[in-house]
C-alpha cells in the first residue's frame, strides 16, 4: 500500500512514473536490457536524453539561447561549479541570504571569489524575504545569487530580483517546475533533481549562452559548462537511470497540463494547508504570508513535546516524513508536484483530528 | 526476452538484482514508497548505505585504515578530485600511460599539479604494459597513478606497480570486484560504478586514512574526501537509488562465493574467449598475452568491411553491443561479472558460425 510521503527530498514521485520504470526494468523498449544497462552513447539512450531536454525546454519555455545541462554533484556541487565557471578570484558576487540553503551557497562561493551579502534576513529569523524595492545590486558584480525557495525555512520569493544587467543565478532545487517562470529573467537556474524532477544524483543547469566558455583554469572538466554543453552533458558517463526517470516525470508533467495547470494545483494545495494552519488556533507557520512556500510548509504545535506523537500517529495513518528538518525541529509537509490534493486533504483531516484529541 | 549484453559500460547487471529492484519499485521494504523516494537521512536508507559499505569492505577485505566513499562525478570527476585532495600545485605525480583512460587522467591532472609520465606504452600502440622491473618512481612524488585495466584497449596489469613509499592510485573502473586484490598495496582505489558495481552516477573511492585531510583550498566540498568521510558520504544528497542497486550487487557477489570464486569464473570466461580468438585463424586480439584483460576483449576480423555485418548478425542472435569503441573500431566483448559463462559460450558459438559463413 502506498503512503502519502511528505519528505523534503528525496521526495515522492508520480506513481505512474514508478510503474513504468517497474514495467521496463528488465526489458526496456523491447531491448532485452534495463535502461540502466544501455550505453549512454547508444542511439536509444541519446534519444532519451534529448527527449528529456526537449520536454524540459517545452515545459519551462526555455529560450533557445540557454543551454540545458544534466550534471552530477547536486546543487551543493554547483555551489562550487558556478563560481568556477562564472567568476575569477577577483570577481564580486552578490548574495541574498534567506536561510539555510543561501548560507551553504555563500559559504562555498567564498572559496572561489569575493562575496557580498547584499541582503540578509537574519533579523527576521529568516521568516520573510527582503523588500524587492530595497535591493541594490553592484553593477560590477559577476552575478546575483538567491534561493527562490528555502526548503527548510519554507520561504519562497514572490518576485524575481531586479539586478539591472547583472545575471541572476537561482538555486531552484525545491521550486523548479512547480509553477511557470520566465527563464529570460535569469542568467542561470540550477536544481537538484530529488524534489520535483526525479531521483537524486542529477543536477539540472539552465544557463544563458553568454555566461559559458569562461570557466577558470582548474575547473574540473565534468563541471565545465561549455565543455558539457558541447558534449550534450556526456563528456563522461551521465547518471543514465536518473535521466530516464526525469524524462518520465517531464512527460507526466505535460500530461498534467504543463506548468500553468500544475502551478494552479500547487497554489490550491498550499492555500488549503496554510488556511488549515492559520484557522486552527493550534498549528502555526512562522513565515510572512506573502512569501510562504508552495512546496515546503513548516508548522509547529503549542507543546513541542507532542511533536513525536504527531509524527508517529500521522505515520500510522499513512502520512509519513512529516518531521521538521533536524536543524529546526517542528513539522514540515513538503507538497511537491507529485503530492496530490488527496494527500494534502488527508493531512488536513489528520491535523484536525490530532488537534481534537491533543489540543 | 533478455539478451547477452557485451556493452563496456553502462553494462549488464545481474538479472536477480534487477528483479529485486522491480519487485520493490513502488513499495520498498513495506514502506509504501520506492527507495528513490526515501530521505537519505532516514534510518532505513542510512542502513542501506552502511550495509553496502560493509559488504564492499568484506568482499574486497578492505583494511580498517581505509575509508570507503560513494561520490558523484564518475571516474572523470575523480581525475580532478584526486589531485585536489592529494597534491599541492608544486607536487609531482607519476603516471603510467597504457592507453585512452590513462591519457584522460593525465590530461586532467595537469590542471592541478606537475605530471611526469614515467612509462608510456605508445611504442607498442598500447598493446602491453611496462615491465614491472623497469619502473622507477621518484620517491618525492605525491603518488603514482595507473590504470589497472584499460577498458578500450583491453590491457590489464598482471601486477601492482612497486612504488616504494609512494602511494599507488588506481583507476579500477573496469576491473574492480573482478578478482581479489590486496587493497593494502594501494593508497587510493577508485572506480565508476557502471561496469561491475551498479548503475552509472556513483564513483567508489577507497582511500587510506593518511592521505585524507589535506585537500587544497578550493576543493569543492562534495569532493573533499575528509569531509565526505566524516559525513558517511552524505555531506549532500547522495545518488540513493544507485547506492541501493550497488548494495544489491554486493549481496549478489557474496552469494556467488565472493571475489575468489568470481575471479576464477572470470579467468575461465576470458581464457575460453581468448582461446577461441587465438585458435580461429580468423579473429585476432592485439594485446600481449600476459596482460590481456579479463573484462574487455577487443578483437578484429581480417576484413573490416564485415564488422557491421558481424555486429548486426550477432545482435539478431541476441548478442548485443559488440561494437568496438568509436575511437578504435573493431569489436569488443565486455564480459564483466554479470556476464555468465553461457553468454561467453554463446558468443564463441556465434563467432565460429560467422567465420564459417564469412571467413
Amino acid at each position: 500500500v502506498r503512503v502519502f510521503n511528505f519528505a523534503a527530498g528525496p521526495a515522492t514521485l508520480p506513481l505512474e512514473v514508478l510503474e513504468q520504470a517497474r514495467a521496463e526494468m528488465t526489458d526496456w523498449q523491447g531491448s532485452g536490457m534495463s535502461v540502466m544497462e544501455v550505453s549512454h552513447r547508444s542511439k536509444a539512450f541519446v534519444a532519451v536524453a534529448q527527449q528529456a531536454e526537449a520536454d524540459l525546454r517545452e515545459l519551462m519555455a526555455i529560450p533557445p539561447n540557454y543551454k540545458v545541462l544534466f550534471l552530477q554533484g547536486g546543487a551543493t556541487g554547483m555551489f562550487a561549479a558556478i563560481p568556477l565557471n562564472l567568476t575569477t578570484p577577483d570577481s564580486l558576487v552578490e548574495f541574498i541570504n534567506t536561510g539555510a540553503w543561501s548560507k551553504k551557497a555563500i559559504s562555498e562561493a567564498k572559496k572561489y571569489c569575493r562575496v557580498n551579502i547584499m541582503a540578509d534576513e537574519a533579523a527576521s529569523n529568516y521568516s520573510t524575504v527582503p523588500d524587492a524595492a530595497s535591493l541594490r545590486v553592484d553593477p560590477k558584480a559577476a552575478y546575483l545569487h538567491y534561493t527562490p525557495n528555502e526548503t527548510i525555512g519554507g520561504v519562497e520569493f514572490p518576485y524575481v530580483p531586479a539586478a539591472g544587467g547583472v545575471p541572476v543565478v537561482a538555486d531552484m532545487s525545491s521550486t523548479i517546475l512547480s509553477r511557470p517562470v520566465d527563464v529570460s529573467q535569469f542568467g542561470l537556474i540550477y536544481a537538484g533533481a530529488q524534489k520535483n524532477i526525479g531521483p537524486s544524483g542529477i543536477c539540472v543547469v539552465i544557463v544563458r549562452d553568454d555566461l559559458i566558455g569562461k570557466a577558470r583554469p582548474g575547473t574540473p572538466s565534468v563541471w565545465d559548462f561549455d565543455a558539457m554543453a558541447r558534449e550534450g552533458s556526456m563528456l563522461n558517463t551521465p547518471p543514465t537511470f536518473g535521466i530516464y526517470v526525469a524524462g518520465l516525470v517531464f512527460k507526466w508533467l505535460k500530461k498534467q497540463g504543463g506548468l500553468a495547470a500544475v502551478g494552479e494545483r500547487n497554489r490550491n494545495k498550499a492555500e488549503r494547508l496554510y488556511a488549515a494552519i492559520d484557522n486552527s488556533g493550534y498549528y502555526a507557520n512562522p513565515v510572512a504570508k506573502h512569501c510562504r512556500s508552495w512546496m515546503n510548509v513548516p508548522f509547529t504545535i503549542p507543546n513541542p513535546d507532542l511533536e513525536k506523537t504527531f509524527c508517529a500517529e500521522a505515520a500510522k495513518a499513512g502520512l509519513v516524513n512529516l518531521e521538521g528538518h533536524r536543524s529546526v525541529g517542528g513539522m514540515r509537509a513538503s507538497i511537491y508536484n507529485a503530492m496530490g490534493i488527496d494527500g494534502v486533504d488527508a493531512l488536513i483531516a489528520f491535523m484536525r483530528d490530532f488537534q481534537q484529541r491533543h489540543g
Side-chain angles (χ1 to χ4, degrees), chain A residues 64-292:
Chain A
N65 62 323
Y66 285 73
K67 297 288 189 285
V68 174
L69 308 175
F70 295 96
L71 303 183
Q72 294 186 57
T76 304
M78 295 309 107
F79 293 166
I82 292 167
L84 284 167
N85 277 271
L86 268 56
T87 73
T88 66
D90 291 333
S91 299
L92 174 74
V93 175
E94 297 269 29
F95 273 86
I96 302 175
N97 180 6
T98 50
W101 286 101
S102 299
K103 287 178 198 171
K104 292 195 183 198
I106 290 165
S107 166
E108 190 80 354
K110 283 181 175 170
K111 294 183 182 175
Y112 302 103
C113 55
R114 291 189 300 130
V115 163
N116 180 48
I117 301 172
M118 57 176 279
D120 192 321
E121 284 302 331
S124 76
N125 198 25
Y126 302 105
S127 64
T128 188
V129 298
D131 183 42
S134 72
L135 299 176
R136 295 285 174 274
V137 181
D138 185 329
K140 293 189 297 299
Y143 59 89
L144 161 66
H145 182 285
Y146 83 117
T147 310
N149 184 74
E150 286 281 356
T151 321
I152 295 174
V155 173
E156 186 159 12
F157 278 77
Y159 65 87
V160 177
V166 173
V168 176
V169 173
D171 174 3
M172 287 203 186
S173 294
S174 50
T175 186
I176 194 166
L177 296 170
S178 68
R179 62 173 99 181
V181 293
D182 176 1
V183 173
S184 73
Q185 293 182 278
F186 298 88
L188 187 152
I189 291 168
Y190 65 110
Q194 64 271 16
K195 291 128 189 330
N196 265 337
I197 294 174
S200 58
I202 309 177
C203 190
V204 169
V205 174
I206 302 165
V207 56
R208 212 172 59 207
D209 282 342
D210 61 291
L211 297 176
I212 66 173
K214 298 168 213 160
R216 67 172 74 172
T219 302
S221 295
V222 299
W223 285 348
D224 180 321
F225 296 158
D226 187 43
M228 271 298 202
R230 281 184 275 112
E231 299 281 346
S233 299
M234 294 197 196
L235 185 139
N236 67 329
T237 312
T240 54
F241 185 75
I243 291 171
Y244 153 79
V245 175
L248 298 181
V249 169
F250 299 154
K251 291 280 184 218
W252 177 83
L253 286 169
K254 287 170 70 177
K255 265 174 57 184
Q256 305 301 304
L259 297 197
V262 165
E264 275 315 298
R265 265 198 292 281
N266 285 331
R267 177 205 298 275
N268 182 33
K269 281 154 52 184
E271 283 177 355
R272 285 198 204 204
L273 184 50
Y274 286 114
I277 290 168
D278 291 343
N279 299 334
S280 67
Y282 180 73
Y283 299 102
N285 169 281
V287 180
K289 288 192 180 174
H290 72 289
C291 56
R292 283 171 162 182

Side-chain angles (χ1 to χ4, degrees), chain A residues 6 273 299 310 314 319 322 333 335 342-352:
Chain A
F6 294 94
L273 184 50
F299 58 94
F310 181 96
L319 308 161
L322 284 160
I335 50 176
D342 53 342
V344 173
D345 285 345
L347 172 60
I348 292 168
F350 172 81
M351 289 167 73
R352 290 196 178 126

